[in-house]
Amino acid sequence: QLQQLQQLQQLQQLQQLQRLQRLQRLQQLQRLQRLKFSNLDYRNVEIKENSVIYCDPPYSGTAGYGEGSRNRFDSDAFLSWVQASPHPIFISEYADLGSKLRLFANIPKRNMLSGSGGKAGVEKLFMNDVAHRYIKAAASMATAGRKAELENG
């Protein structure tokens, strides 16, 4: 009987955990509904105030998206736009853009689509100076909050 009671308690805990997980997924979906995804030329995107932008441009040294000269991507013009933007911008790239943008993260990848036999590489996530300032400010606020927590016990 004790074993049955323990099993019942475990079942109840599992059900509570499942309800909590469903609630968390619902909350994540609600946050995602506020996101706006676009597949446009970067010069044609309307950027609202307080936006954070992630761009996935054609990688340097690739043919770009699609066939033909009309689809050639001007990486230099794009990087100039990113640098001059008043908005925090993050971009993916395999090439080193360290002289133009700040490195935010290295993401190990394995390319299974290119016919390279699953060649490993490191995709880099870069950010402009505006994004860097936002991150520094957020880290500073988090540190100050943690320090206040420790001081107040």
Side-chain angles (χ1 to χ4, degrees), residues 7-25:
Q7 287 177 341
L8 180 59
Q9 288 174 334
Q10 288 176 342
L11 179 61
Q12 289 173 335
Q13 289 173 344
L14 180 61
Q15 289 172 336
Q16 286 177 327
L17 180 61
Q18 288 172 334
R19 282 194 296 271
L20 179 60
Q21 289 173 333
R22 282 194 299 270
L23 178 60
Q24 288 173 332
R25 282 195 298 269

Side-chain angles (χ1 to χ4, degrees), residues 113-144:
L113 298 176
S114 69
S116 63
K119 181 180 173 189
V122 177
E123 185 173 3
K124 297 168 182 68
L125 188 61
F126 290 94
M127 61 184 164
N128 65 358
D129 287 337
V130 176
H132 183 255
R133 285 194 299 272
Y134 273 68
I135 289 172
K136 278 179 60 176
S140 178
M141 288 178 6
T143 301

Side-chain angles (χ1 to χ4, degrees), residues 47-132:
I47 302 173
K48 295 183 179 180
E49 191 175 339
N50 297 320
S51 293
V52 175
I53 298 106
Y54 167 75
C55 300
D56 188 17
Y59 297 124
S60 297
T62 65
Y65 297 127
E67 299 287 327
S69 61
R70 68 178 180 85
N71 291 319
R72 297 219 187 270
F73 186 74
D74 187 343
S75 293
D76 290 332
F78 172 72
L79 291 174
S80 293
W81 174 81
V82 171
Q83 290 171 314
S85 176
H87 305 285
I89 299 178
F90 295 85
I91 68 165
S92 305
E93 179 58 80
Y94 281 93
D96 185 6
L97 301 176
S99 65
K100 298 179 181 191
L101 298 172
R102 295 175 181 264
L103 180 64
F104 180 70
N106 286 309
I107 306 161
K109 295 280 186 166
R110 185 166 296 278
N111 187 348
M112 304 301 279
L113 298 176
S114 69
S116 63
K119 181 180 173 189
V122 177
E123 185 173 3
K124 297 168 182 68
L125 188 61
F126 290 94
M127 61 184 164
N128 65 358
D129 287 337
V130 176
H132 183 255

